[in-house]
Amino acid sequence: MVWKLAKAGTDPTIAFAADELKKYLSRMDGALEIAILSFPRFDEALTDVLWLGVCPKVCETVGNPVYDDAVWVDVDHGRGSIRGSNPRSVLFGVYRFLRELGCDWVRPGADGEIIPEGPVADACVRLRETPSYRHRAVCIEGAVNYDHVMDMIDWMPKLGMNGYFNQFNNPFTFYDRWYSHQDNALYESAPLSAAEIRGIRDQSVAELKKRGMLYHAAGHGWTCDPFGIPGETWDARSYEITDEQKSVMAEVNGVRELWGGVPLNTNLCYSNPAVRRKMVTAIADYCERIPAVDYLHLWLADGSNNHCECAECVKKTPADWYVTLLNEVDEELTARGLPQKVVFLIYVDLLWAPQTETLHNQDRFVLMFAPITRTYSSSFADCEPFDEANLPPYERNRLQFPSSVGENLAWLRRWQAMFHGDSFDFDYHFMWDHFKDPGYYRMAEVLFRDMQNLRRVGLNGMVSCQNQRVFFPDGLGMTAMATALWDEQADFDEMANRYFDAAFGEDGPVAQEYLKKLSDAFDPSYLRGEKPAVDEAAAKRFQKIPDILDEYAEIIQENMVEEDNPENVRLSWAYLSYHASLCRLLARALYYRAKGDAKRALAVRGDLFAYARQHEQELNHVFDVYEFQQTLRSVLPDE
């Protein structure tokens, strides 16, 4: 039998979708002949083909087909159509169709593809789906190389994720951590230049656009780059700062200087019109120069309690000066006819909403809620409500930030009272917290509930600020995120069962049971610092973790070599084997910590880090050793 894939139109993303469909169908069924045909538009008279293209009827079902996705799949014995509200949605439709045929992508890269073999000629799939949320994206963080990022970009649309965020003008620091091999002397340092990393950034944007994905850019950096100070890293470095550059910096404790020696953390004197004008011009020039940007993030400096205390700045809150700046940016973009949406940040000092200023053209802006100090022991669904009347007043540079989810949401409601436009959550489940749940199971449940309940708290999706390599011991959490963003009515257990069956094969339920036990035994709330560090009950629990590891060791080893398991399934079990060795060391270090023996805890932490470094080559596609060490230093501190 011959399947004729008929592309409607000339969009390169639809061409890519046709190529992907042909590639995977051919791998599934080698007897199937597949031809790709091109037509200027849909032709209803041709019924012996499988159409791929954007359909006006599908577009009518969404609010804005540029940003909103919808998928209609109607395939019967190789005939019918895969239609979308935009070219990106056609690609999503291809992957949804393939998933209905049994394909799965359990982690980025070719070694995460689970592609069943068998006849597909008689396949019949009909579905109509509109994702629950507009924003379904990932933000670059951690330590990365070229392959890590390109594999993530390739993997995301396979699970319905539609956007990617390159932080800063140049995401230098994330790549430099890898290529300089920070925190792992076993690798030879081979740093790339800023220009070389810009080249990788540009290639990542090209890969995004090939898939029709939405591009988020910039963020921190607008407080330094326009003034001739590079904003590429959070590391404190030596900078030659002129008097003119100092004059625009925030005055704190009577001094204008780099905050902690870090340009990215240094706020400016936002009451100064010349300062704002410099930023406005730089932002508009950037949008003009890089039209691929869909969402331009305009953030102030990172850090907190670092705002200007000069006589003019104290007349308004930072949020009021921020809104003034945002309105001026909108005016400039409008004057130049530039279409980019501008993302503004609700974060630390900016949790306190403006008191006098309002956004004039709300359609230009997208609210980004970034509750970086929240706990992940509770979700948006099960947090304790917080009375807004109990929110503390703004006190410049003397603020304390909430850990409770309920209080964070109370601050969000203050902003929502004055802004009624588009919005999303910018959250950190996979920045640090995944390392505090070594089984990855309970954190995946919290993440899933967070995504399911975004609508309830007035948010339209998620941009996840995260390490890229978060698939060790498995990809359950990322699959949970993508699944609930696509369908807020999805069932966690059904999703998890399918994931473990795909990733671990016939013994998937055993792997699932094992990782649940590990999550509970490690007690993530303890690792988050929400329980006493020295605790006899915790020590007893950590002492029993080796028994769990021993209980499942044999089945892990058997599945690593089981010939009936596909190669990629055997690899999933091999990762569990490495993970078990890491958990054995971590449990021992935590045992000593809970016993109050800091010296022994620190010694075992050294063994733990040594193991991670020694096996970074085998694990580098799934495990960020740099961020693992950074995070565990807070859990198992030096003193």
Side-chain angles (χ1 to χ4, degrees):
M1 181 179 181
V2 178
W3 280 29
K4 302 174 187 176
L5 310 183
K7 300 179 296 181
T10 59
D11 190 280
T13 298
I14 295 174
F16 179 70
D19 290 340
E20 287 287 274
L21 182 56
K22 179 178 180 179
K23 177 179 74 175
Y24 285 111
L25 288 175
S26 297
R27 287 177 56 184
M28 297 175 75
D29 185 352
L32 190 66
E33 295 184 43
I34 302 172
I36 298 178
L37 311 175
S38 298
F39 297 89
R41 64 190 64 84
F42 278 106
D43 184 349
E44 300 291 344
L46 290 177
T47 58
D48 65 338
V49 299
L50 174 52
W51 286 101
L52 290 88
V54 175
C55 173
K57 289 183 179 179
V58 184
C59 293
E60 292 170 2
T61 67
V62 299
N64 186 327
V66 173
Y67 304 107
D68 296 323
D69 300 306
V71 170
W72 290 7
V73 177
D74 186 356
V75 178
D76 187 350
H77 291 74
R79 310 290 185 260
S81 62
I82 297 176
R83 294 175 282 175
S85 56
N86 51 52
R88 173 181 68 248
S89 295
V90 177
L91 180 61
F92 292 156
V94 164
Y95 294 135
R96 281 293 294 113
F97 172 63
L98 291 169
R99 281 178 62 83
E100 290 297 306
L101 300 188
C103 295
D104 268 295
W105 293 270
V106 299
R107 56 184 168 267
D111 64 22
E113 296 182 340
I114 308 298
I115 311 301
E117 295 182 4
V120 300
D122 296 338
C124 295
V125 176
R126 290 182 175 86
L127 58 87
R128 292 190 178 187
E129 295 180 354
T130 301
S132 297
Y133 299 106
R134 169 179 287 179
H135 300 281
R136 310 182 307 280
V138 163
C139 172
I140 191 171
E141 262 289 357
V144 298
N145 66 23
Y146 176 95
D147 289 332
H148 300 149
V149 171
M150 301 309 167
D151 283 348
M152 175 63 88
I153 289 171
D154 180 68
W155 180 83
M156 289 170 60
K158 292 178 168 74
L159 273 75
M161 302 285 279
N162 68 351
Y164 192 83
F165 181 10
N166 271 320
Q167 285 193 78
F168 315 151
N169 188 329
N170 186 17
F172 175 84
T173 191
F174 313 111
Y175 289 95
D176 187 56
R177 289 168 181 168
W178 172 267
Y179 288 106
S180 294
H181 293 300
Q182 296 179 26
D183 227 349
N184 191 352
L186 298 178
Y187 272 76
E188 182 180 352
S189 177
L192 300 183
S193 68
E196 288 173 311
I197 291 173
R198 277 194 295 273
I200 296 177
R201 175 205 63 190
D202 293 345
Q203 183 61 39
S204 73
V205 175
E207 291 298 316
L208 283 170
K209 291 304 176 181
K210 182 167 75 173
R211 293 161 175 80
M213 295 171 71
L214 297 165
Y215 180 38
H216 296 246
H220 297 307
W222 298 118
T223 59
C224 45
D225 286 330
F227 302 90
I229 307 171
E232 296 181 331
T233 178
W234 285 282
D235 296 338
R237 296 180 176 178
S238 177
Y239 297 90
E240 293 185 7
I241 304 298
T242 67
D243 290 341
E244 183 181 2
Q245 289 170 328
K246 281 187 178 181
S247 72
V248 305
M249 295 176 184
E251 178 185 314
V252 184
N253 297 324
V255 178
R256 296 185 188 271
E257 62 184 3
L258 289 178
W259 184 258
V262 180
L264 285 176
N265 291 352
T266 303
N267 272 305
L268 304 180
C269 188
Y270 300 119
S271 65
N272 185 336
V275 169
R276 298 198 307 274
R277 186 63 207 169
K278 190 91 167 178
M279 296 174 71
V280 168
T281 300
I283 290 163
D285 288 348
Y286 182 93
C287 291
E288 207 163 50
R289 189 171 68 252
I290 310 178
V293 175
D294 299 290
Y295 293 99
L296 188 283
H297 289 239
L298 197 181
W299 306 348
L300 302 185
D302 209 351
S304 59
N305 288 318
N306 54 357
H307 279 272
C308 189
E309 299 169 346
C310 78
E312 288 301 310
C313 280
V314 297
K315 291 179 180 178
K316 295 182 181 180
T317 69
D320 285 299
W321 289 120
Y322 188 33
V323 169
T324 299
L325 173 65
L326 290 166
N327 282 328
E328 291 171 351
V329 167
D330 169 56
E331 291 169 5
E332 183 69 18
L333 296 181
T334 300
R336 298 196 195 188
L338 295 168
Q340 282 90 347
K341 299 290 186 181
V342 176
V343 178
F344 67 98
L345 171 62
I346 310 308
Y347 173 79
V348 290
D349 300 51
L350 293 173
L351 286 174
W352 279 257
Q355 297 175 359
T356 61
E357 304 298 321
T358 58
L359 288 166
H360 300 155
N361 176 19
Q362 296 207 356
D363 186 58
R364 167 76 71 181
F365 298 103
V366 181
L367 181 155
M368 182 177 113
F369 174 54
I372 193 169
T373 59
R374 66 165 283 192
T375 177
Y376 292 98
S377 292
S378 60
S379 74
F380 293 150
D382 50 27
C383 64
E384 291 292 327
F386 190 91
D387 188 345
E388 290 181 46
N390 294 326
L391 292 174
Y394 177 75
E395 187 177 4
R396 185 176 297 264
N397 294 343
R398 288 167 176 78
L399 303 173
Q400 294 185 346
F401 305 105
S403 62
S404 80
V405 176
E407 185 174 349
N408 273 284
L409 292 175
W411 288 114
L412 172 63
R413 291 194 294 273
R414 285 276 180 91
W415 274 94
Q416 289 171 330
M418 59 80 65
F419 179 75
H420 308 290
D422 195 9
S423 63
F424 58 80
D425 182 29
F426 187 79
D427 230 317
Y428 305 86
H429 304 77
F430 278 115
M431 186 64 244
W432 307 284
D433 193 69
H434 59 301
F435 294 127
K436 299 174 183 179
D437 180 2
Y440 266 32
Y441 208 90
R442 299 309 176 194
M443 65 83 59
E445 291 178 321
V446 170
L447 173 54
F448 191 84
R449 290 198 300 274
D450 274 345
M451 300 303 96
Q452 284 185 310
N453 286 275
L454 290 170
R455 188 181 314 281
R456 186 175 69 84
V457 299
L459 297 170
N460 194 16
M462 165 78 147
V463 176
S464 178
C465 185
Q466 64 167 78
N467 301 176
Q468 306 298 281
R469 298 173 288 147
V470 292
F471 299 85
F472 182 70
D474 60 48
L476 177 66
M478 283 299 294
T479 303
M481 179 198 300
T483 299
L485 286 171
W486 186 271
D487 180 8
E488 62 189 348
Q489 300 299 321
D491 181 80
F492 179 85
D493 290 332
E494 289 181 9
M495 177 278 305
N497 293 344
R498 171 166 178 155
Y499 177 84
F500 278 97
D501 287 347
F504 294 94
E506 184 176 339
D507 282 329
V510 179
Q512 185 174 6
E513 174 188 75
Y514 165 64
L515 292 170
K516 277 185 186 179
K517 287 184 178 180
L518 279 184
S519 278
D520 293 337
F522 273 107
D523 187 10
S525 60
Y526 177 90
L527 274 72
R528 293 179 185 123
E530 296 168 352
K531 294 182 177 180
V534 178
D535 180 74
E536 187 61 32
K540 290 179 179 178
R541 191 174 59 253
F542 295 133
Q543 194 173 29
K544 293 179 180 178
I545 287 176
D547 294 338
I548 299 174
L549 302 175
D550 292 341
E551 179 184 355
Y552 291 88
E554 184 176 349
I555 197 166
I556 290 173
Q557 296 303 313
E558 288 175 353
N559 275 285
M560 285 171 54
V561 297
E562 174 54 61
E563 293 184 0
D564 288 341
N565 282 337
E567 181 180 356
N568 291 350
V569 168
R570 293 198 297 271
L571 181 60
S572 296
W573 288 98
Y575 284 144
L576 283 195
S577 180
Y578 284 113
H579 181 259
S581 297
L582 202 75
C583 285
R584 196 175 295 275
L585 289 166
L586 177 58
R588 188 176 170 210
L590 291 170
Y591 166 77
Y592 286 127
R593 180 179 189 257
K595 294 290 286 185
D597 191 339
K599 184 177 180 180
R600 287 188 177 180
L602 193 59
V604 179
R605 190 193 77 176
D607 296 337
L608 174 68
F609 288 180
Y611 181 87
R613 292 166 182 161
Q614 289 163 6
H615 294 284
E616 184 166 19
Q617 183 170 357
E618 302 98 309
L619 302 175
N620 82 88
H621 289 286
V622 293
F623 182 40
D624 191 325
V625 171
Y626 171 85
E627 284 293 352
F628 173 74
Q629 293 175 105
Q630 293 293 311
T631 302
L632 265 292
R633 287 190 178 100
S634 67
V635 177
L636 296 161
D638 292 339
E639 295 181 0

